[in-house]
Amino acid sequence: MDETRRFREAVIEWDTGGPGAPAAAETARALAGAPVRTAVLVEGVSDQAAVETLAARHGRDLAAEGTAVIPLGGVTNIGRFLTLLGPRGLGLGLAGLCDAPEEAHFARALEREGLGDGLSRAGMEPLGFHVCVDDLEEELIRALGPDRVRQVIETQGDLRAWRIFRGQPAQRDRPVERQLRRFMGTISGRKSQYARALVTALDPTRTPRPLDGLLARLPR
């Protein structure tokens, strides 16, 4: 297991406060600073997949650069992770990505850690925290366009499932962009699968602004 993965798993276990938390905390402390220098906090594993895939497309190895992408397992956990990893904790460099509905959670947590005051979206970006509108899937679908996304669905072997899904009464009158977003969340693991596939299909000049801005902030 590489050290960045060990760090990520240790931090997640530490955050639970369970029986393994003390040992996990020691592991995280031992790896913080060297080799892990920066923590990127994202809402879930699909966001992690998107960030890591985008970095690889740009020829970057985040683990080798000392960056760990850590899924929070829910936006309400952001405050605890900031406390563990930020200036009052391990003192790592911080960055993050969230969806627009969760923007206020991130802003308040950053303020509680003393990283800003009255933070707006524009105020969060210099801190390395970027907001998707409305969410990551919407950003990627908009960047690619529905026709290109349907091509990706075909290459993933899901074209029949997509056609069946579109034929459901609840979906028929929805805009295709909303259908595509909903389709990606219907089966466990599909959001991560399509996060990787859609980022891989992106024209580099059309990378969604939040992802592009986040990657640019991460030290090499």
Side-chain angles (χ1 to χ4, degrees):
M1 184 186 301
D2 67 74
E3 292 178 322
T4 303
R5 181 180 171 189
R6 283 182 61 213
F7 178 83
R8 177 170 55 247
E9 293 183 355
V11 169
I12 292 171
E13 177 64 26
W14 184 11
D15 175 68
T16 67
E26 288 305 310
T27 298
R29 291 188 184 101
L31 296 172
V36 179
R37 298 179 291 116
T38 304
V40 179
L41 303 177
V42 297
E43 291 186 55
V45 293
S46 61
D47 306 275
Q48 176 191 346
V51 172
E52 292 176 343
T53 301
L54 182 66
R57 284 207 64 194
H58 285 261
R60 297 184 60 176
D61 182 340
L62 294 183
E65 294 172 5
T67 294
V69 185
I70 301 175
L72 299 172
V75 69
T76 57
N77 298 329
I78 178 64
R80 296 201 307 273
F81 278 86
L82 286 175
T83 298
L84 294 179
L85 303 173
R88 294 191 291 179
L90 298 182
L92 298 179
L94 297 170
L97 186 73
C98 71
D99 298 339
E102 282 72 50
E103 177 181 350
H105 286 285
F106 268 59
R108 286 194 297 267
L110 289 165
E111 290 167 10
R112 285 195 296 269
E113 289 302 307
L115 298 173
D117 184 45
L119 288 173
S120 64
R121 185 175 302 181
M124 290 167 62
E125 291 185 356
L127 300 176
F129 287 80
H130 297 261
V131 181
C132 294
V133 181
D134 294 311
D135 56 27
L136 177 62
E137 290 75 27
E138 189 274 340
E139 291 276 3
L140 293 171
I141 291 166
R142 178 156 39 87
L144 287 162
D147 290 342
R148 183 71 181 99
V149 175
R150 283 191 288 256
Q151 291 174 4
V152 173
I153 288 173
E154 184 172 7
T155 64
Q156 294 296 303
D158 286 336
L159 190 56
R160 182 173 180 273
W162 163 243
R163 288 171 175 163
I164 292 171
F165 175 81
R166 288 199 74 190
Q168 295 175 359
Q171 302 301 326
R172 289 174 187 163
D173 295 330
R174 289 183 171 182
V176 65
E177 291 84 359
R178 289 187 63 191
Q179 292 175 344
L180 288 164
R181 286 169 64 193
R182 183 70 185 95
F183 176 74
M184 292 172 192
T186 53
I187 294 177
S188 176
R190 185 176 275 169
K191 286 183 73 172
S192 295
Q193 170 193 350
Y194 277 94
R196 287 187 288 268
L198 295 179
V199 170
T200 299
L202 277 174
D203 179 333
T205 66
R206 293 184 59 82
T207 301
R209 185 175 182 273
L211 282 173
D212 194 46
L214 173 62
L215 186 62
R217 288 281 302 181
L218 299 182
R220 293 178 179 268

